[in-house]
């Protein structure tokens, strides 16, 4: 998991709006195969999530959903409950729509009384 987190915070990420549809298609297949094989900690998965622009990732996630009939985040939830898989799910949700994700986290925190330091962000 450390490799994923380090890659996310240290790798340069292109911030432009250009999309390569062919790349989105091939990387959607790579991500699907990794989830199917439960190879979440695969170098290619980490490389894709940590280096692609957010626009390119959105194209990849949309292609994933179009090709496989399920969103990548929902497919990750259905794939099991391994800690690395949960981290990937959070990463993808944050990349996909950070505002929506953190609204959900805050909503769950506010609904509870007291504090829960051990609560998961998933």
């Amino acid at each position: 998991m450390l490799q994923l987190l380090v890659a996310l915070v240290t790798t340069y990420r292109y911030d432009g709006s250009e999309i390569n549809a062919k790349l989105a298609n091939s990387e959607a297949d790579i991500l699907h195969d990794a989830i199917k094989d439960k190879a979440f900690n695969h170098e290619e998965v980490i490389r894709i999530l940590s280096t692609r622009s957010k626009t390119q990732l959105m194209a990849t996630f949309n292609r994933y959903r179009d090709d496989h009939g399920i969103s990548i985040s929902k497919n990750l939830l259905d794939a099991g409950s391994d800690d690395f898989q949960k981290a990937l799910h959070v990463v993808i949700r944050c990349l996909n729509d950070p505002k929506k994700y953190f609204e959900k986290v805050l909503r769950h925190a506010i609904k509870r009384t007291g504090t829960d330091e051990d609560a998961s962000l998933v």
Side-chain angles (χ1 to χ4, degrees):
M1 188 166 357
L2 183 62
Q3 184 181 10
L4 172 66
L5 296 175
V6 169
L8 287 169
V9 298
T10 61
T11 307
Y12 170 76
R13 188 184 299 271
Y14 172 69
D15 200 26
S17 60
E18 294 179 27
I19 295 174
N20 181 331
K22 188 174 179 179
L23 183 64
N25 191 34
S26 69
E27 290 185 342
D29 290 339
I30 290 169
L31 292 171
H32 181 262
D33 290 343
I35 292 170
K36 182 179 72 177
D37 297 339
K38 297 188 185 288
F40 306 118
N41 198 4
H42 193 274
E43 281 183 25
E44 283 295 293
V45 172
I46 294 170
R47 182 191 57 77
I48 291 167
L49 295 177
S50 64
T51 61
R52 299 296 180 225
S53 70
K54 290 186 181 182
T55 354
Q56 183 66 42
L57 285 170
M58 294 308 104
T60 300
F61 298 158
N62 289 336
R63 173 54 51 199
Y64 187 102
R65 185 188 64 243
D66 294 346
D67 288 352
H68 305 290
I70 188 170
S71 73
I72 188 169
S73 62
K74 183 157 177 67
N75 203 7
L76 274 167
L77 282 179
D78 296 343
S81 61
D82 161 294
D83 284 341
F84 196 86
Q85 172 265 333
K86 287 179 184 177
L88 282 178
H89 181 258
V90 169
V91 166
I92 289 171
R93 292 209 45 212
C94 288
L95 288 168
N96 200 15
D97 192 349
K99 187 173 159 182
K100 182 178 176 183
Y101 174 72
F102 286 110
E103 284 174 352
K104 180 182 177 183
V105 170
L106 286 172
R107 190 172 42 257
H108 285 295
I110 292 169
K111 285 169 70 173
R112 305 184 95 147
T113 57
T115 60
D116 185 2
E117 288 80 13
D118 298 323
S120 172
L121 293 178
V122 181

